[in-house]
Amino acid sequence: MGRTITSEEEYRPRPSRRGSRPRTKRRPDYSDAVRGVVVSVDRGRYRVIAGDDLASASAEAPVVTCVRAAHLRRRPIVPGDRVSMTGDTSGDDGTLARIVTVEERTTVLRRSSDDTDPTERVVVANADTLVVVTATTDPEPSWGFLDRTTVAAFDAGIRPLIAVTKTDLHPATEVRDRFADVDVEIVECGYDAAGLPRTDALLPHLTDRQSVLLGHSGVGKSTLINRLVPGADRATGEVNENTGTGRHTSSSTWALPLPQGGWVVDTPGVRSFGLAHVDADSVVAAFAELTPATADCPRGCTHAEGAVGCALDAWVASGEAGPSGGRRLRSLRRLLGNLT
Ligand SMILES: Nc1nc2c(ncn2[C@@H]2O[C@H](COP(=O)(O)OP(=O)(O)O)[C@@H](O)[C@H]2O)c(=O)[nH]1
Ligand SMILES: [Mg+2]
Ligand SMILES: [Zn+2]
């Protein structure tokens, strides 16, 4: 279940003071506008692929460089956003189009700078799958990061998935053990004998979906994308994520169409993933069979382990949450433990 988008995210026209504008002012007509999907954002320039969605965009579809119309200047526009553009949408060198509308989003993945600073950044729009990428070693898994990104996914109504890389160097046992209690699928993507990342377990989860890859720098996101999307040409290896120096597209978020259908978003290494914006009830909402019971919780219940009067314990004990209720409640509480 998706969370409704809060006010500061959504563009709202300034309330016009009564009588301050002539009533005859005509609204612009965007019926000729070309629809597209934002694939990257870089200092006020948006790259947009024309088409209703990336999956149906042909390999030759032009990437149109856009600015946004003045009336959208407070509106965050991020990769995955569905927009419409006017002006020169040929994508030819030196041309510039203008984004004039942004469609309502189905999901919004966001992070706070840290847990005490609720300044939010929208990472990607309209994703339905979050692939948290972790290496078994080099770099070592960051357990806090895995937990927190999983919580953010549930909060946003996005299905989380953990992709484990570098299993050729070290087994995935510890990652599996750590997540044995949490309802998150784990797939292994280490190099095969030919030195290429294995994508057979991952691909079925991405096909016809809109996925975003998140993970620390160096875990192998771009390596995976290059394997999944022939010609993606994402820079891998020694890229300085701080200064953005290094090779071309490495420092920016980029959405790419998958040949099998769907699209996948590569992100630069994200070090912190604050959860100041997440509220417990929206995480609970991802556990549909447990949600009805919370109606009997005291107001403001955190639903955490030992929360006084929390109705979830009795609900699970009654069997109404189903045979896996106990395991699901442990999973939920482990995630909620990240919010305190
Ligand atoms: N042995 C091994 N090396 C990998 C694997 N995946 C990625 N690498 C290497 O790890 C380094 C970082 O990969 P990169 O894709 O740039 O990571 P990103 O920062 O997450 O995009 C590169 O040198 C890759 O060749 C893997 O599964 N096994
Ligand atoms: Mg990368
Ligand atoms: Zn409760």
Side-chain angles (χ1 to χ4, degrees):
M1 200 193 299
R3 190 165 75 129
T4 37
I5 294 160
T6 54
S7 54
E8 71 278 12
E9 289 302 334
E10 282 306 282
Y11 166 72
R12 280 193 295 180
R14 234 180 281 172
S16 61
R17 266 168 283 133
R18 190 186 290 272
S20 64
R21 284 182 187 193
R23 280 196 173 270
T24 52
K25 186 160 192 277
R26 285 174 57 197
R27 305 191 68 204
D29 173 16
Y30 297 134
S31 54
D32 290 341
V34 175
R35 297 182 69 212
V37 181
V38 176
V39 293
S40 86
V41 178
D42 185 21
R43 281 158 294 179
R45 288 283 191 276
Y46 303 86
R47 310 242 186 266
V48 179
I49 292 188
D52 285 345
D53 60 81
L54 285 178
S56 64
S58 80
E60 298 83 46
V63 180
V64 182
T65 302
C66 299
V67 293
R68 59 180 157 182
H71 70 272
L72 295 175
R73 67 183 175 280
R74 297 155 187 246
R75 171 76 151 91
I77 301 176
V78 299
D81 264 324
R82 296 194 179 87
V83 299
S84 67
M85 336 167 244
T86 60
D88 188 339
T89 56
S90 65
D92 293 343
D93 274 357
T95 61
L96 205 54
R98 185 179 303 275
I99 295 176
V100 289
T101 65
V102 183
E103 284 178 32
E104 203 180 315
R105 297 161 170 166
T106 56
T107 65
V108 182
L109 179 67
R110 59 187 100 211
R111 67 184 179 101
S112 321
S113 309
D114 64 52
D115 284 347
T116 52
D117 172 6
T119 311
E120 294 179 20
R121 275 170 224 275
V122 179
V123 179
V124 64
N126 299 320
D128 53 33
T129 304
L130 170 64
V131 182
V132 188
V133 185
T134 183
T136 54
T137 183
D138 186 28
E140 295 296 308
S142 164
W143 305 116
F145 183 83
L146 291 177
D147 278 350
R148 297 150 74 83
T149 46
T150 303
V151 173
F154 280 124
D155 174 61
I158 299 173
R159 190 182 59 131
L161 181 74
I162 297 177
V164 189
T165 59
K166 311 204 185 184
T167 50
D168 53 303
L169 302 177
H170 188 81
T173 327
E174 203 181 353
V175 180
R176 291 196 177 280
D177 288 350
R178 290 265 190 164
F179 279 83
D181 253 1
V182 182
D183 274 292
V184 178
E185 186 110 23
I186 295 177
V187 296
E188 297 186 20
C189 310
Y191 282 177
D192 60 18
L196 290 170
R198 286 192 287 123
T199 55
D200 49 313
L202 179 61
L203 196 53
H205 295 284
L206 306 183
T207 303
D208 292 332
R209 293 185 158 269
Q210 302 162 19
S211 311
V212 53
L213 265 53
L214 270 187
H216 287 312
S217 185
V219 295
K221 299 177 297 297
S222 299
T223 301
L224 270 176
I225 300 257
N226 286 341
R227 178 80 171 139
L228 291 163
V229 185
D233 199 24
R234 298 290 291 165
T236 60
E238 5 36 82
V239 169
N240 188 331
E241 308 273 6
N242 290 324
T243 62
T245 57
R247 286 132 75 196
H248 51 151
T249 54
S250 58
S251 61
S252 58
T253 298
W254 205 280
L256 296 133
L258 278 168
Q260 291 81 0
W263 48 266
V264 57
V265 179
D266 191 12
T267 61
V270 172
R271 205 158 302 132
S272 64
F273 209 97
L275 297 175
H277 60 285
V278 169
D279 90 290
D281 283 328
S282 66
V283 178
V284 176
F287 291 71
E289 76 281 25
L290 298 174
T291 309
T294 58
D296 297 329
C297 287
R299 192 196 300 216
C301 184
T302 61
H303 316 301
E305 191 77 56
V308 177
C310 182
L312 286 171
D313 301 276
W315 177 254
V316 166
S318 75
E320 284 192 76
S324 59
R327 187 177 54 79
R328 295 271 291 166
L329 181 56
R330 282 195 299 281
S331 175
L332 171 64
R333 286 197 163 143
R334 156 125 175 241
L335 296 172
L336 291 175
N338 293 285
L339 298 183
T340 50

PDB file of all heavy atoms in Angstrom, residues 165-169 189-191 216-223 235-237 241 266, ligand 1:
ATOM      1  N   THR A 165      26.445  -9.440  -4.034  1.00  0.00           N
ATOM      2  CA  THR A 165      27.518  -9.559  -5.025  1.00  0.00           C
ATOM      3  C   THR A 165      28.778 -10.117  -4.364  1.00  0.00           C
ATOM      4  O   THR A 165      28.848 -10.259  -3.142  1.00  0.00           O
ATOM      5  CB  THR A 165      27.854  -8.188  -5.623  1.00  0.00           C
ATOM      6  OG1 THR A 165      28.248  -7.327  -4.561  1.00  0.00           O
ATOM      7  CG2 THR A 165      26.664  -7.589  -6.356  1.00  0.00           C
ATOM      8  N   LYS A 166      29.754 -10.420  -5.192  1.00  0.00           N
ATOM      9  CA  LYS A 166      31.072 -10.891  -4.752  1.00  0.00           C
ATOM     10  C   LYS A 166      30.988 -12.201  -3.970  1.00  0.00           C
ATOM     11  O   LYS A 166      31.838 -12.484  -3.126  1.00  0.00           O
ATOM     12  CB  LYS A 166      31.803  -9.784  -3.971  1.00  0.00           C
ATOM     13  CG  LYS A 166      31.761  -8.442  -4.728  1.00  0.00           C
ATOM     14  CD  LYS A 166      32.858  -7.483  -4.391  1.00  0.00           C
ATOM     15  CE  LYS A 166      32.606  -6.159  -5.138  1.00  0.00           C
ATOM     16  NZ  LYS A 166      33.630  -5.154  -4.976  1.00  0.00           N
ATOM     17  N   THR A 167      29.958 -13.002  -4.282  1.00  0.00           N
ATOM     18  CA  THR A 167      29.852 -14.323  -3.668  1.00  0.00           C
ATOM     19  C   THR A 167      30.948 -15.249  -4.199  1.00  0.00           C
ATOM     20  O   THR A 167      31.174 -16.318  -3.638  1.00  0.00           O
ATOM     21  CB  THR A 167      28.469 -14.944  -3.947  1.00  0.00           C
ATOM     22  OG1 THR A 167      28.203 -14.844  -5.345  1.00  0.00           O
ATOM     23  CG2 THR A 167      27.382 -14.220  -3.180  1.00  0.00           C
ATOM     24  N   ASP A 168      31.606 -14.856  -5.266  1.00  0.00           N
ATOM     25  CA  ASP A 168      32.770 -15.615  -5.743  1.00  0.00           C
ATOM     26  C   ASP A 168      33.957 -15.425  -4.802  1.00  0.00           C
ATOM     27  O   ASP A 168      34.873 -16.250  -4.771  1.00  0.00           O
ATOM     28  CB  ASP A 168      33.135 -15.173  -7.170  1.00  0.00           C
ATOM     29  CG  ASP A 168      33.323 -13.673  -7.288  1.00  0.00           C
ATOM     30  OD1 ASP A 168      32.369 -12.922  -6.949  1.00  0.00           O
ATOM     31  OD2 ASP A 168      34.390 -13.228  -7.705  1.00  0.00           O
ATOM     32  N   LEU A 169      33.935 -14.341  -4.023  1.00  0.00           N
ATOM     33  CA  LEU A 169      35.047 -14.066  -3.110  1.00  0.00           C
ATOM     34  C   LEU A 169      34.752 -14.566  -1.692  1.00  0.00           C
ATOM     35  O   LEU A 169      35.662 -14.890  -0.945  1.00  0.00           O
ATOM     36  CB  LEU A 169      35.316 -12.544  -3.052  1.00  0.00           C
ATOM     37  CG  LEU A 169      35.642 -11.849  -4.368  1.00  0.00           C
ATOM     38  CD1 LEU A 169      35.806 -10.340  -4.155  1.00  0.00           C
ATOM     39  CD2 LEU A 169      36.905 -12.440  -4.986  1.00  0.00           C
ATOM     40  N   CYS A 189      24.457 -12.737  -6.842  1.00  0.00           N
ATOM     41  CA  CYS A 189      24.873 -12.231  -8.162  1.00  0.00           C
ATOM     42  C   CYS A 189      26.389 -12.152  -8.303  1.00  0.00           C
ATOM     43  O   CYS A 189      26.890 -11.294  -9.024  1.00  0.00           O
ATOM     44  CB  CYS A 189      24.303 -10.835  -8.402  1.00  0.00           C
ATOM     45  SG  CYS A 189      22.560 -10.676  -8.088  1.00  0.00           S
ATOM     46  N   GLY A 190      27.125 -13.014  -7.626  1.00  0.00           N
ATOM     47  CA  GLY A 190      28.587 -12.954  -7.749  1.00  0.00           C
ATOM     48  C   GLY A 190      29.055 -13.330  -9.138  1.00  0.00           C
ATOM     49  O   GLY A 190      28.265 -13.791  -9.977  1.00  0.00           O
ATOM     50  N   TYR A 191      30.336 -13.139  -9.384  1.00  0.00           N
ATOM     51  CA  TYR A 191      30.890 -13.487 -10.689  1.00  0.00           C
ATOM     52  C   TYR A 191      30.796 -14.992 -10.936  1.00  0.00           C
ATOM     53  O   TYR A 191      30.968 -15.796 -10.029  1.00  0.00           O
ATOM     54  CB  TYR A 191      32.359 -13.077 -10.766  1.00  0.00           C
ATOM     55  CG  TYR A 191      32.600 -11.603 -11.013  1.00  0.00           C
ATOM     56  CD1 TYR A 191      33.900 -11.096 -11.050  1.00  0.00           C
ATOM     57  CD2 TYR A 191      31.540 -10.735 -11.210  1.00  0.00           C
ATOM     58  CE1 TYR A 191      34.137  -9.744 -11.280  1.00  0.00           C
ATOM     59  CE2 TYR A 191      31.771  -9.379 -11.440  1.00  0.00           C
ATOM     60  CZ  TYR A 191      33.068  -8.892 -11.470  1.00  0.00           C
ATOM     61  OH  TYR A 191      33.308  -7.577 -11.702  1.00  0.00           O
ATOM     62  N   HIS A 216      26.181   0.993  -1.210  1.00  0.00           N
ATOM     63  CA  HIS A 216      27.407   1.765  -1.056  1.00  0.00           C
ATOM     64  C   HIS A 216      28.234   1.690  -2.329  1.00  0.00           C
ATOM     65  O   HIS A 216      28.073   0.780  -3.148  1.00  0.00           O
ATOM     66  CB  HIS A 216      28.230   1.221   0.105  1.00  0.00           C
ATOM     67  CG  HIS A 216      27.659   1.535   1.449  1.00  0.00           C
ATOM     68  ND1 HIS A 216      27.235   2.786   1.808  1.00  0.00           N
ATOM     69  CD2 HIS A 216      27.440   0.755   2.535  1.00  0.00           C
ATOM     70  CE1 HIS A 216      26.783   2.766   3.053  1.00  0.00           C
ATOM     71  NE2 HIS A 216      26.886   1.539   3.518  1.00  0.00           N
ATOM     72  N   SER A 217      29.124   2.635  -2.444  1.00  0.00           N
ATOM     73  CA  SER A 217      30.041   2.659  -3.566  1.00  0.00           C
ATOM     74  C   SER A 217      30.909   1.389  -3.561  1.00  0.00           C
ATOM     75  O   SER A 217      31.353   0.956  -2.505  1.00  0.00           O
ATOM     76  CB  SER A 217      30.918   3.902  -3.420  1.00  0.00           C
ATOM     77  OG  SER A 217      31.739   4.031  -4.521  1.00  0.00           O
ATOM     78  N   GLY A 218      31.078   0.806  -4.719  1.00  0.00           N
ATOM     79  CA  GLY A 218      31.988  -0.329  -4.841  1.00  0.00           C
ATOM     80  C   GLY A 218      31.352  -1.700  -4.668  1.00  0.00           C
ATOM     81  O   GLY A 218      32.027  -2.716  -4.796  1.00  0.00           O
ATOM     82  N   VAL A 219      30.034  -1.756  -4.387  1.00  0.00           N
ATOM     83  CA  VAL A 219      29.412  -3.069  -4.173  1.00  0.00           C
ATOM     84  C   VAL A 219      29.124  -3.791  -5.492  1.00  0.00           C
ATOM     85  O   VAL A 219      28.909  -4.998  -5.502  1.00  0.00           O
ATOM     86  CB  VAL A 219      28.106  -2.968  -3.333  1.00  0.00           C
ATOM     87  CG1 VAL A 219      28.403  -2.478  -1.921  1.00  0.00           C
ATOM     88  CG2 VAL A 219      27.075  -2.097  -4.014  1.00  0.00           C
ATOM     89  N   GLY A 220      29.097  -3.053  -6.588  1.00  0.00           N
ATOM     90  CA  GLY A 220      28.915  -3.715  -7.880  1.00  0.00           C
ATOM     91  C   GLY A 220      27.616  -3.373  -8.601  1.00  0.00           C
ATOM     92  O   GLY A 220      27.181  -4.129  -9.480  1.00  0.00           O
ATOM     93  N   LYS A 221      27.014  -2.236  -8.290  1.00  0.00           N
ATOM     94  CA  LYS A 221      25.758  -1.847  -8.946  1.00  0.00           C
ATOM     95  C   LYS A 221      25.950  -1.646 -10.444  1.00  0.00           C
ATOM     96  O   LYS A 221      25.203  -2.188 -11.259  1.00  0.00           O
ATOM     97  CB  LYS A 221      25.199  -0.547  -8.323  1.00  0.00           C
ATOM     98  CG  LYS A 221      24.858  -0.631  -6.860  1.00  0.00           C
ATOM     99  CD  LYS A 221      24.393   0.695  -6.305  1.00  0.00           C
ATOM    100  CE  LYS A 221      25.440   1.794  -6.354  1.00  0.00           C
ATOM    101  NZ  LYS A 221      26.641   1.507  -5.536  1.00  0.00           N
ATOM    102  N   SER A 222      26.942  -0.836 -10.782  1.00  0.00           N
ATOM    103  CA  SER A 222      27.127  -0.524 -12.207  1.00  0.00           C
ATOM    104  C   SER A 222      27.562  -1.751 -12.993  1.00  0.00           C
ATOM    105  O   SER A 222      27.180  -1.925 -14.154  1.00  0.00           O
ATOM    106  CB  SER A 222      28.139   0.614 -12.363  1.00  0.00           C
ATOM    107  OG  SER A 222      27.652   1.777 -11.703  1.00  0.00           O
ATOM    108  N   THR A 223      28.353  -2.617 -12.340  1.00  0.00           N
ATOM    109  CA  THR A 223      28.749  -3.870 -12.983  1.00  0.00           C
ATOM    110  C   THR A 223      27.511  -4.696 -13.326  1.00  0.00           C
ATOM    111  O   THR A 223      27.404  -5.259 -14.424  1.00  0.00           O
ATOM    112  CB  THR A 223      29.675  -4.659 -12.027  1.00  0.00           C
ATOM    113  OG1 THR A 223      30.825  -3.859 -11.739  1.00  0.00           O
ATOM    114  CG2 THR A 223      30.115  -5.976 -12.630  1.00  0.00           C
ATOM    115  N   ALA A 235      30.062   3.527 -15.837  1.00  0.00           N
ATOM    116  CA  ALA A 235      31.446   3.455 -15.375  1.00  0.00           C
ATOM    117  C   ALA A 235      31.520   2.610 -14.106  1.00  0.00           C
ATOM    118  O   ALA A 235      30.657   2.709 -13.231  1.00  0.00           O
ATOM    119  CB  ALA A 235      31.960   4.857 -15.090  1.00  0.00           C
ATOM    120  N   THR A 236      32.529   1.747 -14.021  1.00  0.00           N
ATOM    121  CA  THR A 236      32.698   0.902 -12.837  1.00  0.00           C
ATOM    122  C   THR A 236      34.108   1.086 -12.297  1.00  0.00           C
ATOM    123  O   THR A 236      34.980   1.620 -12.975  1.00  0.00           O
ATOM    124  CB  THR A 236      32.510  -0.589 -13.179  1.00  0.00           C
ATOM    125  OG1 THR A 236      33.476  -0.953 -14.152  1.00  0.00           O
ATOM    126  CG2 THR A 236      31.115  -0.856 -13.698  1.00  0.00           C
ATOM    127  N   GLY A 237      34.304   0.600 -11.077  1.00  0.00           N
ATOM    128  CA  GLY A 237      35.645   0.623 -10.509  1.00  0.00           C
ATOM    129  C   GLY A 237      35.948   1.923  -9.815  1.00  0.00           C
ATOM    130  O   GLY A 237      35.082   2.487  -9.149  1.00  0.00           O
ATOM    131  N   GLU A 241      33.109   9.105  -5.967  1.00  0.00           N
ATOM    132  CA  GLU A 241      31.695   9.461  -5.858  1.00  0.00           C
ATOM    133  C   GLU A 241      31.499  10.816  -5.189  1.00  0.00           C
ATOM    134  O   GLU A 241      30.435  11.415  -5.266  1.00  0.00           O
ATOM    135  CB  GLU A 241      30.926   8.394  -5.062  1.00  0.00           C
ATOM    136  CG  GLU A 241      31.124   6.973  -5.564  1.00  0.00           C
ATOM    137  CD  GLU A 241      30.147   6.591  -6.672  1.00  0.00           C
ATOM    138  OE1 GLU A 241      29.400   7.479  -7.122  1.00  0.00           O
ATOM    139  OE2 GLU A 241      30.153   5.415  -7.065  1.00  0.00           O
ATOM    140  N   ASP A 266      20.217   2.976 -11.882  1.00  0.00           N
ATOM    141  CA  ASP A 266      21.508   2.919 -11.196  1.00  0.00           C
ATOM    142  C   ASP A 266      21.659   4.211 -10.402  1.00  0.00           C
ATOM    143  O   ASP A 266      21.310   5.290 -10.889  1.00  0.00           O
ATOM    144  CB  ASP A 266      22.634   2.800 -12.233  1.00  0.00           C
ATOM    145  CG  ASP A 266      23.990   2.475 -11.604  1.00  0.00           C
ATOM    146  OD1 ASP A 266      24.037   2.115 -10.402  1.00  0.00           O
ATOM    147  OD2 ASP A 266      25.000   2.584 -12.319  1.00  0.00           O
TER     148      ASP A 266
HETATM  149  N1  LIG B   1      35.005 -10.439  -7.644  1.00  0.00           N
HETATM  150  C1  LIG B   1      33.975  -9.666  -7.907  1.00  0.00           C
HETATM  151  N2  LIG B   1      34.150  -8.351  -8.182  1.00  0.00           N
HETATM  152  C2  LIG B   1      33.066  -7.595  -8.439  1.00  0.00           C
HETATM  153  C3  LIG B   1      31.747  -8.127  -8.421  1.00  0.00           C
HETATM  154  N3  LIG B   1      30.883  -7.132  -8.722  1.00  0.00           N
HETATM  155  C4  LIG B   1      31.623  -6.016  -8.909  1.00  0.00           C
HETATM  156  N4  LIG B   1      32.940  -6.283  -8.751  1.00  0.00           N
HETATM  157  C5  LIG B   1      34.041  -5.295  -8.841  1.00  0.00           C
HETATM  158  O1  LIG B   1      33.852  -4.330  -7.820  1.00  0.00           O
HETATM  159  C6  LIG B   1      34.267  -3.020  -8.255  1.00  0.00           C
HETATM  160  C7  LIG B   1      33.143  -2.000  -8.044  1.00  0.00           C
HETATM  161  O2  LIG B   1      32.077  -2.289  -8.912  1.00  0.00           O
HETATM  162  P1  LIG B   1      31.061  -1.159  -9.419  1.00  0.00           P
HETATM  163  O3  LIG B   1      30.094  -1.830 -10.324  1.00  0.00           O
HETATM  164  O4  LIG B   1      31.778   0.040  -9.939  1.00  0.00           O
HETATM  165  O5  LIG B   1      30.350  -0.766  -8.042  1.00  0.00           O
HETATM  166  P2  LIG B   1      29.262   0.388  -7.767  1.00  0.00           P
HETATM  167  O6  LIG B   1      30.031   1.515  -7.132  1.00  0.00           O
HETATM  168  O7  LIG B   1      28.297  -0.216  -6.810  1.00  0.00           O
HETATM  169  O8  LIG B   1      28.620   0.782  -9.054  1.00  0.00           O
HETATM  170  C8  LIG B   1      34.669  -3.173  -9.708  1.00  0.00           C
HETATM  171  O9  LIG B   1      36.075  -3.257  -9.759  1.00  0.00           O
HETATM  172  C9  LIG B   1      34.042  -4.496 -10.121  1.00  0.00           C
HETATM  173  O10 LIG B   1      34.786  -5.130 -11.110  1.00  0.00           O
HETATM  174  C10 LIG B   1      31.582  -9.536  -8.120  1.00  0.00           C
HETATM  175  O11 LIG B   1      30.488 -10.108  -8.053  1.00  0.00           O
HETATM  176  N5  LIG B   1      32.734 -10.248  -7.869  1.00  0.00           N
END
